[in-house]
C-alpha cells in the first residue's frame, strides 16, 4: 500500500501508528498531531469507540488534518497489522507473559533497520485507560516499553505516541555539529586565536596583572584554556580585541603579524 | 537548598525544570505531571503570568500536586538559575547566536554525568507561544533542541518537558563530564558567572566600549554567550575579575550581591 501512495512514502516511510479502540475523539486528534511532529502519517484506527470520522478528532488535530484524512479504519487488530512484518505492542505494565521486551529507543533503531530493508512495521497503542489486552499483545512480536517513573506513570495516549515517534525521528539523527556558527561568524583559526592571546597577554603585562613576560604562569595558561574552550568565532575575537583596546588603550606598537 | 531538603534529593537528584513566564496555569499543571512521570520534582517558576498559586495548575496536575507544592517562585531567570552550575535553554528555532547546541538525548547523558559529579543543572523552557528570548538564552550555557519534524513542529509545554524528562529518565549514562574539573576548580554557578558579567559589563561601559547601560546590545550578549560556552570554573572567574580590575582599576563601589 505504501508502494502505491508515493506521496506517503516520500513524506515519511515510517512505522504505522495503530490506535486500538481509542475512546475519545480528542485523543485521536492529539495523537495525530504528535505523529506529525515526528514525521509519521500512517495512522490506523481499530474500532474507535465513537466511530469515524469524528469531529472532535478533527478539532483536536488542528494542523494535522492530513494525518486524519489518510487514517485507515479496521474492525480488529488482526486486520490492522496484516500487512506488517514487524509489530510492537506498547504497554507500561508487566503482562506476565514471555515476550521480547525493548525500550522505545531500541525499537526505534530496529525499525530504522527494518524499513531500510523494505520490511514494514508498526506500533500498537491500547485504549486510553485500560491499555492493550493480552490477546492483542500476542498479535505483536515484541513489547515496547517507555521507561518512566514506576511510582507515577501517567502518559496519555498522545504523549505515548509522541515518545515513540520522537525516538523514531531522533534515530535518524546525523547529529549536527554542536556549536552553531552563523555565516557571519566562522570559527577562528588558531592563528587568529593566538593573535588575540598575544594582544591580551601583552596587556596583562602592561597592566601589572602578570610580571614576568618570559614565563607563562599557570594563570595565563588557564586563561588560554578558557578561551580555547569557548571556541571563539573570528567575529568574537574582533570584539575581544576591541574590549582589550577599550580597557587599556591602543597598543604601543601595532602588531601586523604575531602568529608566533 | 537541595542540601537541606533531603526528601527532594532522595526522590530524584534530577535537573531543575524552569518554566519562564508560563502563561496558562493548566500548562504548569500538565508540566508537573510530565515531570513526575520522569521522576523529576524540582520545578521553578519565573514570573508566571497568572500568579501563584494557581487553581488551574492544581486541577491540571491531578496526582502531581507534590511537584506543585514544592515549586519555587522567582522574579527573573537570573535568580532562578543562580545556584546551578549547568543550564540548558530549550528552543526550537535558530537564534543566530553562537551557542553550543545539543539534542535532548545528549543533554540527558551530560546531566547524568554532572549530577554524578555533584554539579547541579537545570533546563529552561520559555513561554508557551513565544519561547525564550535571546537574553534568557545567554543566561544558559548550552542550547537544547528536540529533533522533530521541521515541517510540523508543535510541541506544547508539557510535551517539551516530557521529552526532556523522558530522555533524562532513560539515560543511565555514568559518563564523566567532558570537561575535567580538579578539586580546586569546581564549575562556577550562574550567580558567580553573572557577578562576573556585572563587573565586566560595568567596565565595558566605563571604558566607552558600550554606551547605553540600559540596553543589552547584541555585542554584549554575544560576549556572554562566549563566556558561557567556556564553562568557567570558580577559580577562572576569580582570575577574570582580577584581569578586569587590573585593566580598569578597582570598581567605584564594591558589589557584594548582584544575584538579581
Amino acid at each position: 500500500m505504501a508502494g502505491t501512495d508515493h506521496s506517503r512514502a516520500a513524506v515519511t516511510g515510517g512505522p504505522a501508528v495503530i490506535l486500538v479502540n481509542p475512546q475519545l475523539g480528542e485523543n485521536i486528534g492529539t495523537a495525530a498531531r504528535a505523529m506529525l511532529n515526528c514525521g509519521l502519517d500512517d495512522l490506523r484506527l481499530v474500532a474507535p469507540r465513537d466511530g469515524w470520522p469524528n469531529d472532535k478528532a478533527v478539532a483536536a488535530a488542528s494542523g494535522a488534518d492530513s494525518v486524519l484524512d489518510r487514517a485507515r479504519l479496521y474492525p480488529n487488530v488482526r486486520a490492522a497489522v496484516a500487512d506488517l512484518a514487524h509489530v510492537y505492542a506498547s504497554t507500561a505494565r508487566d503482562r506476565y507473559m514471555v515476550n521480547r521486551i525493548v525500550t522505545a529507543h531500541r525499537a526505534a533503531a530496529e525499525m530504522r533497520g527494518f524499513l531500510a530493508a523494505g520490511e514494514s512495521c508498526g506500533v500498537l497503542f491500547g485504549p486510553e485507560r485500560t491499555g492493550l489486552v493480552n490477546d492483542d499483545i500476542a498479535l505483536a512480536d515484541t513489547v515496547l516499553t517507555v521507561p518512566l517513573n514506576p511510582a507515577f506513570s501517567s502518559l496519555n495516549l498522545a504523549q505515548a505516541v509522541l515518545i515513540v515517534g520522537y525516538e523514531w525521528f531522533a534515530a535518524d539523527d546525523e547529529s549536527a555539529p554542536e556549536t552553531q556558527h552563523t555565516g557571519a561568524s566562522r570559527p577562528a583559526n588558531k592563528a587568529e586565536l593566538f593573535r588575540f592571546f598575544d594582544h591580551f597577554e601583552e596587556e596583562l603585562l602592561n597592566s601589572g596583572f602578570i610580571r614576568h613576560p618570559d614565563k607563562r604562569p599557570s594563570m595565563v595558561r588557564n586563561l588560554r584554556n578558557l578561551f580555547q574552550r569557548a571556541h571563539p568565532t573570528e567575529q568574537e575575537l574582533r570584539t575581544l580585541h576591541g574590549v582589550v583596546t577599550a580597557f587599556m588603550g591602543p597598543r604601543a606598537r601595532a602588531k601586523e603579524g604575531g602568529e608566533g
Side-chain angles (χ1 to χ4, degrees), chain A residues 113-145:
Chain A
F114 295 145
L115 288 164
E119 301 166 17
S120 55
C121 52
V123 185
L124 297 172
F125 296 87
E128 289 90 304
R129 292 184 54 238
T130 53
L132 295 167
V133 297
N134 284 353
D135 284 347
D136 286 340
I137 291 180
L139 298 178
D141 48 84
T142 307
V143 165
L144 178 160
T145 57

Side-chain angles (χ1 to χ4, degrees), chain A residues 4-51:
Chain A
T4 54
D5 183 356
H6 295 293
S7 61
R8 174 174 302 189
V11 170
T12 69
V17 170
I18 307 147
L19 306 185
V20 181
N21 308 125
Q23 301 291 292
L24 298 180
E26 292 92 322
N27 292 337
I28 300 174
T30 51
R33 279 178 76 78
M35 286 173 65
L36 202 51
N37 270 286
C38 306
L40 298 173
D41 75 343
D42 182 352
L43 174 62
R44 306 184 184 193
L45 305 174
V46 175
R49 184 194 75 182
D50 296 343

Side-chain angles (χ1 to χ4, degrees), chain A residues 187-197 228 231-232 237 259:
Chain A
N189 62 37
K190 296 308 180 188
E192 290 163 332
L193 182 60
F194 300 160
R195 193 174 304 135
F196 168 69
F197 288 166
Q228 290 271 16
H231 297 272
L237 285 186
E259 256 87 300

Side-chain angles (χ1 to χ4, degrees), chain A residues 150-243:
Chain A
F152 185 91
S153 190
S154 70
L155 290 191
N156 63 38
L157 180 59
Q159 288 173 331
V161 171
L162 178 69
I163 286 184
V164 171
Y166 159 76
E167 285 284 16
W168 157 260
F169 192 93
D172 192 35
D173 194 352
E174 248 42 77
S175 45
E178 276 187 3
T179 305
Q180 193 78 43
H181 292 284
T182 68
S185 57
R186 59 164 180 78
N189 62 37
K190 296 308 180 188
E192 290 163 332
L193 182 60
F194 300 160
R195 193 174 304 135
F196 168 69
F197 288 166
D198 287 345
H199 181 193
F200 179 57
E201 292 163 16
E202 182 180 331
E203 300 298 0
L204 289 182
L205 208 56
N206 289 339
S207 69
F209 186 77
I210 60 174
R211 303 178 191 293
H212 302 284
D214 298 328
K215 287 171 61 173
R216 289 277 177 254
S218 59
M219 187 179 289
V220 171
R221 186 171 56 225
N222 291 345
L223 288 170
R224 288 188 171 194
N225 282 328
L226 180 145
F227 285 112
Q228 290 271 16
R229 293 197 320 267
H231 297 272
T233 64
E234 178 264 337
Q235 188 177 62
E236 285 171 336
L237 285 186
R238 282 189 276 119
T239 299
L240 287 173
H241 278 291
V243 170

